[in-house]
Amino acid sequence: MSARLSVLSGGCATAAATVLIFAVSAAPANALPDSPVVYPSGSAATPTSGSGFDTCTAPSAGALSAWSGSSPYTIVNIYFGGNNRGCSQPNLTAAWVRQVTADGWKLLPTYFGYQPSCMVGSKPHRYTASDAGTRGTSDGNDAVTKAKTLGLLPGSALYADVEHYDRSDSSCRTAVRRYVSAWTTALHKVGYLAGVYAHQDSGIRDLADSYNSTGYARPDAVWMARWDGKATVTDWPTAPDGYWANTQRAKQYRGDHDETHGGVKLNIDSDIVKAPVATVARDYRVVGASSLNARSGPGTSYPITRTYASGATLPVICQGLGEKVGGTSVWNRLTTGAWVSDHYTSTPSDTGFSAGLPRCVYPGQVTAGTSLTARTGPGTSYPSSGSALPRGALAYVMCQQQGSTVQTTRVWNRLVDNRWVSDYYVANRSNSSWSAPVPRCP
């Protein structure tokens, strides 16, 4: 990829008390191309924006500590697996992941697996049109296994590295689409978002050409290699702005170069990121003299699933809204899927959301024919709000509530920006009922 590939150079009321009229459906409602993500309970996506960099070997925790605050970067790429991965990774362990994320770094996980048969370069492990689907599935399954080993939780976006290839080979173009489609569906089945790193003149062009195809699953995010020095996620020459339009893009805009920050020099590529990245738990403690009840939902009327003693460690993955307790409506979701009131935890803020912790969101792709209107409330009588979400955009859902009937459902989704969209047009577990593990809105 990138930093090691010279060919790119120069080119590039509490809800628990509410009687539910729907049963929770476990079966995905939508098929290709808007393949739904089946999120487990201990999961959440982590959309982010900022400057990032990638190196062949993950830097040491000490190097990242030196760069933290002294560099413009907040996001770092990691090559976490794949049979074509070329660099050793002595630093890349679960302990390293927990340490650097606790220090404030976001991780952009990249899997360097099988490559197209017409790839420009010498990587040995390749696929053709006949076995691309099998390779995409096996790489996707292996990526999930390796991600879990490092502590990259469900809801994380994992990016398949698809290096530059010869587009004059039509069979090879078909192979890339089949591989990416299989990669996407394999990740979605077990709760991970699917991203793709690709060159502007090959992979990005072909994935954009098949964006609305009914034969291929569409990836959730794309990371384009184009070394033009422009740190922008819009105005790409080979993918319209309406594609992957809602925090679904990253761009590698500068290739191999050295930078020194905090006295530490690294050879890097530079990226601009507005896309989902890895979700990693952070440890906090139970504060106060009493024990803390973890519950099945963000409110005291939900059943208790476990009790934590004062001072016990809480593995927090995200924060959401629920019943007000002790001056705050923020609740923390744990890796078990349970919820605890933020009032009784050692997170930085005890009155609102804490910086560094993501919101609990469960994105699904918009399935509307052209675009989906977002509204100020859960019903078609509410005014529209902001720009509509185009087909394939990620709707970052925080919670669900009943509203006006649209097609087969009364469920509406509250988005992370507090707008509302009908759940009928969002790819998730159901388009007629609630979709676990999304909580009910308070």
Side-chain angles (χ1 to χ4, degrees), residues 164-195:
H164 190 34
Y165 56 90
D166 180 5
R167 290 190 71 250
S168 66
D169 186 333
S170 61
S171 178
C172 195
R173 296 201 307 270
T174 297
V176 169
R177 290 174 174 138
R178 289 176 178 173
Y179 175 88
V180 170
S181 181
W183 162 269
T184 298
T185 54
L187 266 58
H188 283 185
K189 286 178 181 178
V190 288
Y192 286 78
L193 292 169

mmCIF file of all heavy atoms in Angstrom, residues 164-195:
data_model
loop_
_atom_site.group_PDB
_atom_site.id
_atom_site.type_symbol
_atom_site.label_atom_id
_atom_site.label_comp_id
_atom_site.label_asym_id
_atom_site.label_seq_id
_atom_site.Cartn_x
_atom_site.Cartn_y
_atom_site.Cartn_z
ATOM 1 N N HIS A 164 -3.362 -0.734 -6.770
ATOM 2 C CA HIS A 164 -3.605 -0.283 -8.143
ATOM 3 C C HIS A 164 -3.486 -1.457 -9.120
ATOM 4 O O HIS A 164 -2.612 -2.317 -8.980
ATOM 5 C CB HIS A 164 -2.585 0.795 -8.498
ATOM 6 C CG HIS A 164 -2.866 1.513 -9.785
ATOM 7 N ND1 HIS A 164 -4.141 1.785 -10.242
ATOM 8 C CD2 HIS A 164 -2.006 2.030 -10.710
ATOM 9 C CE1 HIS A 164 -4.061 2.436 -11.388
ATOM 10 N NE2 HIS A 164 -2.785 2.600 -11.693
ATOM 11 N N TYR A 165 -4.398 -1.498 -10.100
ATOM 12 C CA TYR A 165 -4.408 -2.606 -11.058
ATOM 13 C C TYR A 165 -4.747 -2.100 -12.456
ATOM 14 O O TYR A 165 -5.184 -0.956 -12.639
ATOM 15 C CB TYR A 165 -5.400 -3.692 -10.621
ATOM 16 C CG TYR A 165 -6.831 -3.212 -10.416
ATOM 17 C CD1 TYR A 165 -7.754 -3.221 -11.456
ATOM 18 C CD2 TYR A 165 -7.241 -2.768 -9.168
ATOM 19 C CE1 TYR A 165 -9.058 -2.780 -11.256
ATOM 20 C CE2 TYR A 165 -8.545 -2.332 -8.958
ATOM 21 C CZ TYR A 165 -9.456 -2.338 -9.998
ATOM 22 O OH TYR A 165 -10.744 -1.905 -9.810
ATOM 23 N N ASP A 166 -4.568 -2.973 -13.428
ATOM 24 C CA ASP A 166 -4.749 -2.651 -14.846
ATOM 25 C C ASP A 166 -6.233 -2.778 -15.213
ATOM 26 O O ASP A 166 -6.759 -3.880 -15.336
ATOM 27 C CB ASP A 166 -3.897 -3.595 -15.688
ATOM 28 C CG ASP A 166 -4.034 -3.337 -17.180
ATOM 29 O OD1 ASP A 166 -4.717 -2.360 -17.573
ATOM 30 O OD2 ASP A 166 -3.463 -4.130 -17.963
ATOM 31 N N ARG A 167 -6.898 -1.660 -15.410
ATOM 32 C CA ARG A 167 -8.331 -1.670 -15.708
ATOM 33 C C ARG A 167 -8.646 -2.103 -17.138
ATOM 34 O O ARG A 167 -9.820 -2.287 -17.482
ATOM 35 C CB ARG A 167 -8.952 -0.293 -15.471
ATOM 36 C CG ARG A 167 -9.036 0.094 -14.004
ATOM 37 C CD ARG A 167 -9.878 1.354 -13.808
ATOM 38 N NE ARG A 167 -11.292 1.090 -14.036
ATOM 39 C CZ ARG A 167 -11.992 1.538 -15.069
ATOM 40 N NH1 ARG A 167 -11.383 2.246 -16.034
ATOM 41 N NH2 ARG A 167 -13.277 1.285 -15.185
ATOM 42 N N SER A 168 -7.641 -2.264 -17.974
ATOM 43 C CA SER A 168 -7.918 -2.737 -19.339
ATOM 44 C C SER A 168 -8.331 -4.206 -19.337
ATOM 45 O O SER A 168 -8.850 -4.712 -20.336
ATOM 46 C CB SER A 168 -6.692 -2.541 -20.231
ATOM 47 O OG SER A 168 -5.623 -3.379 -19.814
ATOM 48 N N ASP A 169 -8.118 -4.894 -18.227
ATOM 49 C CA ASP A 169 -8.492 -6.298 -18.079
ATOM 50 C C ASP A 169 -9.899 -6.362 -17.480
ATOM 51 O O ASP A 169 -10.081 -6.185 -16.278
ATOM 52 C CB ASP A 169 -7.481 -7.009 -17.171
ATOM 53 C CG ASP A 169 -7.714 -8.503 -17.068
ATOM 54 O OD1 ASP A 169 -8.861 -8.944 -17.228
ATOM 55 O OD2 ASP A 169 -6.735 -9.220 -16.773
ATOM 56 N N SER A 170 -10.905 -6.574 -18.311
ATOM 57 C CA SER A 170 -12.297 -6.541 -17.845
ATOM 58 C C SER A 170 -12.588 -7.644 -16.839
ATOM 59 O O SER A 170 -13.372 -7.447 -15.895
ATOM 60 C CB SER A 170 -13.257 -6.646 -19.036
ATOM 61 O OG SER A 170 -13.072 -7.868 -19.730
ATOM 62 N N SER A 171 -11.999 -8.806 -17.013
ATOM 63 C CA SER A 171 -12.192 -9.901 -16.064
ATOM 64 C C SER A 171 -11.641 -9.530 -14.695
ATOM 65 O O SER A 171 -12.225 -9.869 -13.654
ATOM 66 C CB SER A 171 -11.517 -11.169 -16.577
ATOM 67 O OG SER A 171 -11.651 -12.223 -15.648
ATOM 68 N N CYS A 172 -10.546 -8.787 -14.689
ATOM 69 C CA CYS A 172 -9.933 -8.371 -13.436
ATOM 70 C C CYS A 172 -10.808 -7.337 -12.716
ATOM 71 O O CYS A 172 -10.938 -7.357 -11.497
ATOM 72 C CB CYS A 172 -8.542 -7.811 -13.703
ATOM 73 S SG CYS A 172 -7.520 -7.646 -12.221
ATOM 74 N N ARG A 173 -11.436 -6.455 -13.491
ATOM 75 C CA ARG A 173 -12.354 -5.484 -12.883
ATOM 76 C C ARG A 173 -13.522 -6.213 -12.217
ATOM 77 O O ARG A 173 -13.952 -5.854 -11.122
ATOM 78 C CB ARG A 173 -12.877 -4.507 -13.943
ATOM 79 C CG ARG A 173 -11.800 -3.629 -14.559
ATOM 80 C CD ARG A 173 -12.407 -2.373 -15.190
ATOM 81 N NE ARG A 173 -13.476 -2.674 -16.129
ATOM 82 C CZ ARG A 173 -13.315 -2.895 -17.421
ATOM 83 N NH1 ARG A 173 -12.085 -2.899 -17.935
ATOM 84 N NH2 ARG A 173 -14.346 -3.125 -18.212
ATOM 85 N N THR A 174 -14.046 -7.240 -12.887
ATOM 86 C CA THR A 174 -15.114 -8.042 -12.299
ATOM 87 C C THR A 174 -14.637 -8.721 -11.022
ATOM 88 O O THR A 174 -15.368 -8.781 -10.020
ATOM 89 C CB THR A 174 -15.602 -9.099 -13.302
ATOM 90 O OG1 THR A 174 -16.153 -8.446 -14.444
ATOM 91 C CG2 THR A 174 -16.640 -10.012 -12.679
ATOM 92 N N ALA A 175 -13.410 -9.207 -11.034
ATOM 93 C CA ALA A 175 -12.855 -9.878 -9.861
ATOM 94 C C ALA A 175 -12.791 -8.939 -8.665
ATOM 95 O O ALA A 175 -13.125 -9.325 -7.531
ATOM 96 C CB ALA A 175 -11.467 -10.427 -10.183
ATOM 97 N N VAL A 176 -12.383 -7.696 -8.881
ATOM 98 C CA VAL A 176 -12.298 -6.725 -7.793
ATOM 99 C C VAL A 176 -13.677 -6.494 -7.185
ATOM 100 O O VAL A 176 -13.842 -6.486 -5.949
ATOM 101 C CB VAL A 176 -11.687 -5.408 -8.286
ATOM 102 C CG1 VAL A 176 -11.840 -4.310 -7.235
ATOM 103 C CG2 VAL A 176 -10.223 -5.606 -8.650
ATOM 104 N N ARG A 177 -14.683 -6.319 -8.027
ATOM 105 C CA ARG A 177 -16.028 -6.092 -7.513
ATOM 106 C C ARG A 177 -16.529 -7.302 -6.720
ATOM 107 O O ARG A 177 -17.177 -7.155 -5.677
ATOM 108 C CB ARG A 177 -16.976 -5.779 -8.668
ATOM 109 C CG ARG A 177 -16.714 -4.416 -9.298
ATOM 110 C CD ARG A 177 -17.567 -4.197 -10.519
ATOM 111 N NE ARG A 177 -17.416 -2.846 -11.039
ATOM 112 C CZ ARG A 177 -17.324 -2.556 -12.320
ATOM 113 N NH1 ARG A 177 -17.352 -3.521 -13.233
ATOM 114 N NH2 ARG A 177 -17.199 -1.303 -12.716
ATOM 115 N N ARG A 178 -16.244 -8.497 -7.202
ATOM 116 C CA ARG A 178 -16.668 -9.697 -6.482
ATOM 117 C C ARG A 178 -15.944 -9.823 -5.148
ATOM 118 O O ARG A 178 -16.552 -10.189 -4.131
ATOM 119 C CB ARG A 178 -16.423 -10.941 -7.346
ATOM 120 C CG ARG A 178 -17.356 -11.047 -8.536
ATOM 121 C CD ARG A 178 -17.013 -12.258 -9.416
ATOM 122 N NE ARG A 178 -17.945 -12.365 -10.537
ATOM 123 C CZ ARG A 178 -17.814 -13.232 -11.536
ATOM 124 N NH1 ARG A 178 -16.778 -14.085 -11.541
ATOM 125 N NH2 ARG A 178 -18.697 -13.269 -12.511
ATOM 126 N N TYR A 179 -14.665 -9.526 -5.140
ATOM 127 C CA TYR A 179 -13.892 -9.610 -3.906
ATOM 128 C C TYR A 179 -14.433 -8.620 -2.870
ATOM 129 O O TYR A 179 -14.677 -8.981 -1.711
ATOM 130 C CB TYR A 179 -12.424 -9.319 -4.195
ATOM 131 C CG TYR A 179 -11.545 -9.267 -2.956
ATOM 132 C CD1 TYR A 179 -10.944 -10.416 -2.454
ATOM 133 C CD2 TYR A 179 -11.326 -8.061 -2.285
ATOM 134 C CE1 TYR A 179 -10.147 -10.371 -1.314
ATOM 135 C CE2 TYR A 179 -10.541 -8.006 -1.145
ATOM 136 C CZ TYR A 179 -9.958 -9.164 -0.665
ATOM 137 O OH TYR A 179 -9.185 -9.106 0.476
ATOM 138 N N VAL A 180 -14.623 -7.376 -3.274
ATOM 139 C CA VAL A 180 -15.086 -6.349 -2.343
ATOM 140 C C VAL A 180 -16.494 -6.659 -1.841
ATOM 141 O O VAL A 180 -16.806 -6.460 -0.661
ATOM 142 C CB VAL A 180 -15.021 -4.954 -3.004
ATOM 143 C CG1 VAL A 180 -15.720 -3.910 -2.131
ATOM 144 C CG2 VAL A 180 -13.572 -4.556 -3.258
ATOM 145 N N SER A 181 -17.358 -7.159 -2.724
ATOM 146 C CA SER A 181 -18.706 -7.528 -2.315
ATOM 147 C C SER A 181 -18.682 -8.636 -1.272
ATOM 148 O O SER A 181 -19.378 -8.575 -0.250
ATOM 149 C CB SER A 181 -19.523 -7.972 -3.533
ATOM 150 O OG SER A 181 -20.844 -8.312 -3.175
ATOM 151 N N ALA A 182 -17.854 -9.663 -1.499
ATOM 152 C CA ALA A 182 -17.754 -10.768 -0.547
ATOM 153 C C ALA A 182 -17.132 -10.309 0.765
ATOM 154 O O ALA A 182 -17.552 -10.730 1.850
ATOM 155 C CB ALA A 182 -16.942 -11.905 -1.156
ATOM 156 N N TRP A 183 -16.112 -9.465 0.684
ATOM 157 C CA TRP A 183 -15.492 -8.878 1.880
ATOM 158 C C TRP A 183 -16.539 -8.134 2.697
ATOM 159 O O TRP A 183 -16.631 -8.291 3.919
ATOM 160 C CB TRP A 183 -14.363 -7.943 1.437
ATOM 161 C CG TRP A 183 -13.877 -6.939 2.431
ATOM 162 C CD1 TRP A 183 -14.328 -5.664 2.598
ATOM 163 C CD2 TRP A 183 -12.821 -7.108 3.387
ATOM 164 N NE1 TRP A 183 -13.625 -5.030 3.594
ATOM 165 C CE2 TRP A 183 -12.697 -5.890 4.100
ATOM 166 C CE3 TRP A 183 -11.965 -8.168 3.702
ATOM 167 C CZ2 TRP A 183 -11.751 -5.706 5.109
ATOM 168 C CZ3 TRP A 183 -11.028 -7.984 4.714
ATOM 169 C CH2 TRP A 183 -10.923 -6.769 5.405
ATOM 170 N N THR A 184 -17.356 -7.350 2.022
ATOM 171 C CA THR A 184 -18.373 -6.543 2.696
ATOM 172 C C THR A 184 -19.400 -7.409 3.405
ATOM 173 O O THR A 184 -19.714 -7.186 4.585
ATOM 174 C CB THR A 184 -19.060 -5.617 1.673
ATOM 175 O OG1 THR A 184 -18.083 -4.730 1.109
ATOM 176 C CG2 THR A 184 -20.157 -4.798 2.320
ATOM 177 N N THR A 185 -19.946 -8.389 2.723
ATOM 178 C CA THR A 185 -20.990 -9.214 3.339
ATOM 179 C C THR A 185 -20.419 -10.080 4.469
ATOM 180 O O THR A 185 -21.099 -10.317 5.469
ATOM 181 C CB THR A 185 -21.681 -10.102 2.293
ATOM 182 O OG1 THR A 185 -20.698 -10.868 1.577
ATOM 183 C CG2 THR A 185 -22.463 -9.255 1.306
ATOM 184 N N ALA A 186 -19.171 -10.535 4.334
ATOM 185 C CA ALA A 186 -18.557 -11.324 5.405
ATOM 186 C C ALA A 186 -18.426 -10.497 6.677
ATOM 187 O O ALA A 186 -18.722 -10.984 7.783
ATOM 188 C CB ALA A 186 -17.193 -11.851 4.966
ATOM 189 N N LEU A 187 -17.990 -9.255 6.542
ATOM 190 C CA LEU A 187 -17.856 -8.382 7.715
ATOM 191 C C LEU A 187 -19.217 -8.024 8.303
ATOM 192 O O LEU A 187 -19.405 -8.015 9.527
ATOM 193 C CB LEU A 187 -17.083 -7.112 7.341
ATOM 194 C CG LEU A 187 -15.563 -7.137 7.590
ATOM 195 C CD1 LEU A 187 -14.889 -8.273 6.849
ATOM 196 C CD2 LEU A 187 -14.938 -5.799 7.218
ATOM 197 N N HIS A 188 -20.174 -7.721 7.438
ATOM 198 C CA HIS A 188 -21.494 -7.317 7.919
ATOM 199 C C HIS A 188 -22.172 -8.413 8.732
ATOM 200 O O HIS A 188 -22.901 -8.126 9.685
ATOM 201 C CB HIS A 188 -22.377 -6.931 6.736
ATOM 202 C CG HIS A 188 -22.072 -5.578 6.176
ATOM 203 N ND1 HIS A 188 -22.828 -4.989 5.172
ATOM 204 C CD2 HIS A 188 -21.106 -4.679 6.471
ATOM 205 C CE1 HIS A 188 -22.339 -3.800 4.894
ATOM 206 N NE2 HIS A 188 -21.289 -3.585 5.658
ATOM 207 N N LYS A 189 -21.947 -9.658 8.362
ATOM 208 C CA LYS A 189 -22.615 -10.769 9.051
ATOM 209 C C LYS A 189 -22.232 -10.861 10.517
ATOM 210 O O LYS A 189 -22.994 -11.412 11.319
ATOM 211 C CB LYS A 189 -22.291 -12.088 8.349
ATOM 212 C CG LYS A 189 -23.007 -12.276 7.023
ATOM 213 C CD LYS A 189 -22.600 -13.589 6.363
ATOM 214 C CE LYS A 189 -23.304 -13.774 5.027
ATOM 215 N NZ LYS A 189 -22.881 -15.032 4.353
ATOM 216 N N VAL A 190 -21.054 -10.345 10.874
ATOM 217 C CA VAL A 190 -20.592 -10.450 12.254
ATOM 218 C C VAL A 190 -20.395 -9.086 12.906
ATOM 219 O O VAL A 190 -19.706 -8.966 13.922
ATOM 220 C CB VAL A 190 -19.301 -11.277 12.335
ATOM 221 C CG1 VAL A 190 -19.590 -12.744 12.090
ATOM 222 C CG2 VAL A 190 -18.247 -10.787 11.348
ATOM 223 N N GLY A 191 -21.004 -8.047 12.326
ATOM 224 C CA GLY A 191 -21.084 -6.772 13.022
ATOM 225 C C GLY A 191 -20.006 -5.761 12.745
ATOM 226 O O GLY A 191 -19.873 -4.791 13.496
ATOM 227 N N TYR A 192 -19.228 -5.923 11.671
ATOM 228 C CA TYR A 192 -18.180 -4.965 11.336
ATOM 229 C C TYR A 192 -18.547 -4.191 10.074
ATOM 230 O O TYR A 192 -19.191 -4.728 9.168
ATOM 231 C CB TYR A 192 -16.837 -5.673 11.122
ATOM 232 C CG TYR A 192 -16.205 -6.146 12.405
ATOM 233 C CD1 TYR A 192 -16.652 -7.308 13.026
ATOM 234 C CD2 TYR A 192 -15.166 -5.431 13.005
ATOM 235 C CE1 TYR A 192 -16.086 -7.750 14.219
ATOM 236 C CE2 TYR A 192 -14.592 -5.871 14.190
ATOM 237 C CZ TYR A 192 -15.054 -7.027 14.798
ATOM 238 O OH TYR A 192 -14.486 -7.454 15.980
ATOM 239 N N LEU A 193 -18.133 -2.923 10.022
ATOM 240 C CA LEU A 193 -18.285 -2.124 8.819
ATOM 241 C C LEU A 193 -17.156 -2.444 7.851
ATOM 242 O O LEU A 193 -16.033 -2.741 8.262
ATOM 243 C CB LEU A 193 -18.268 -0.636 9.161
ATOM 244 C CG LEU A 193 -19.469 -0.125 9.961
ATOM 245 C CD1 LEU A 193 -19.214 1.291 10.469
ATOM 246 C CD2 LEU A 193 -20.736 -0.164 9.117
ATOM 247 N N ALA A 194 -17.461 -2.362 6.549
ATOM 248 C CA ALA A 194 -16.504 -2.735 5.514
ATOM 249 C C ALA A 194 -16.007 -1.497 4.785
ATOM 250 O O ALA A 194 -16.788 -0.758 4.183
ATOM 251 C CB ALA A 194 -17.148 -3.696 4.520
ATOM 252 N N GLY A 195 -14.694 -1.290 4.833
ATOM 253 C CA GLY A 195 -14.076 -0.213 4.083
ATOM 254 C C GLY A 195 -13.132 -0.776 3.037
ATOM 255 O O GLY A 195 -12.763 -1.945 3.063
#
